[in-house]
Amino acid sequence: MKQFRLTGGARIGRANATYPFAELYVDENTLKINASLVGNLIFQPQDIISIKSYKALPLIGQGIKILHRVDNYKQNVIFWTMKDPEFVISQIKQTGFLEKANFPLTEKDQQIVRQQRQGGHPLKPFFPVVFILLWNILLLYDILPFFLQKRSGGPFGFGICIALGLLFLTALMTLISAGFRKLILKEGRDLEDIKKFAAFILLISGVMFAAFFTLAFS
């Protein structure tokens, strides 16, 4: 079975993942776009209406636009690539995927159907809500006393350090703990769906934690 893989970026709805945080995978039976927290989409050939070249800006704003009929996915799906969009489409054709796009609709793979019904976002809905709530509470712990003139110095201190530490710990647990991933990820999702983004967050939050900790307690 011929396969085609490509690293790039992606726009799903209004959310955008820049290079190299998106992966395109195509074989005869499936087309997948893994854009980490921006979205993990999977299509069978009969889900596709068309795949067209898309150019917003030369070189840095080009890709393929996927028109589909999956109700639970955002309609605006673009995979960004540095390669010629026509070349990417030709590679997809060579897998045999597009040849099946006009076949009569048959019973779809139930695992794919379940994933499509969950929508494109890999995280369980409660997790972003809880994390954002905790993040804002910790930031307010620093900001409110500063603006109420109950604390001297800058607006950030213990709260931002705890928030960044929490972000670092969350990214670390996502990478190393299967139990933690089971808690926060939707059914059928795994480490590969969020690995790149989690590693990026681990690095950035670690650097920022060290910087803010030094400033807050120096």
Side-chain angles (χ1 to χ4, degrees):
M1 183 184 296
K2 183 174 176 57
Q3 302 175 349
F4 176 61
R5 298 176 184 269
L6 186 63
T7 299
R11 174 170 292 171
I12 300 174
R14 295 184 178 181
N16 199 63
T18 58
Y19 182 95
F21 292 106
E23 297 281 345
L24 174 69
Y25 169 86
V26 191
D27 61 32
E28 183 181 4
N29 300 309
T30 57
L31 183 152
K32 302 177 184 178
I33 295 179
N34 180 3
S36 196
L37 296 187
V38 169
N40 306 135
L41 310 182
I42 183 169
F43 301 98
Q44 290 187 273
Q46 293 87 349
D47 295 323
I48 302 300
I49 299 171
S50 67
I51 299 178
K52 300 179 179 180
S53 62
Y54 182 87
K55 292 187 178 182
L57 294 171
L59 296 180
I60 61 172
Q62 63 182 18
I64 57 171
K65 185 176 179 66
I66 299 173
L67 301 179
H68 64 86
R69 49 175 65 91
V70 180
D71 293 337
N72 289 337
Y73 287 168
K74 301 290 186 181
Q75 285 302 306
N76 186 35
V77 178
I78 300 168
F79 182 81
W80 303 113
T81 174
M82 300 293 286
K83 296 184 179 294
D84 183 352
E86 294 298 335
F87 168 78
V88 176
I89 293 173
S90 72
Q91 293 298 302
I92 294 173
K93 287 180 179 178
Q94 289 184 29
T95 66
F97 178 83
L98 291 178
E99 293 178 6
K100 294 186 175 182
N102 295 321
F103 282 13
L105 289 173
T106 57
E107 184 176 356
K108 299 172 67 176
D109 185 289
Q110 291 305 304
Q111 183 176 353
I112 293 177
V113 170
R114 285 194 296 271
Q115 185 167 331
Q116 290 177 340
R117 286 174 178 169
Q118 293 173 350
H121 202 280
L123 296 176
K124 292 178 179 178
F126 82 90
F127 182 72
V129 174
V130 172
F131 190 89
I132 291 171
L133 180 62
L134 288 175
W135 179 272
N136 287 330
I137 289 173
L138 289 167
L139 291 188
L140 286 173
Y141 177 86
D142 280 348
I143 293 172
L144 282 180
F146 175 77
F147 282 104
L148 294 174
Q149 297 182 345
K150 293 183 178 181
R151 193 185 73 228
S152 60
F156 297 117
F158 183 76
I160 187 62
C161 290
I162 295 299
L164 288 168
L166 179 63
L167 185 60
F168 179 88
L169 182 61
T170 300
L172 180 63
M173 293 296 292
T174 300
L175 289 171
I176 67 174
S177 172
F180 186 75
R181 290 194 296 272
K182 186 176 181 180
L183 175 66
I184 67 171
L185 295 178
K186 293 177 180 176
E187 182 183 356
R189 309 301 173 94
D190 56 31
L191 176 59
E192 291 303 315
D193 292 327
I194 57 171
K195 186 176 181 179
K196 282 187 177 181
F197 191 78
F200 176 74
I201 291 298
L202 185 72
L203 174 63
I204 295 300
S205 60
V207 171
M208 292 182 67
F209 174 83
F212 276 99
F213 186 85
T214 301
L215 290 173
F217 298 101
S218 60

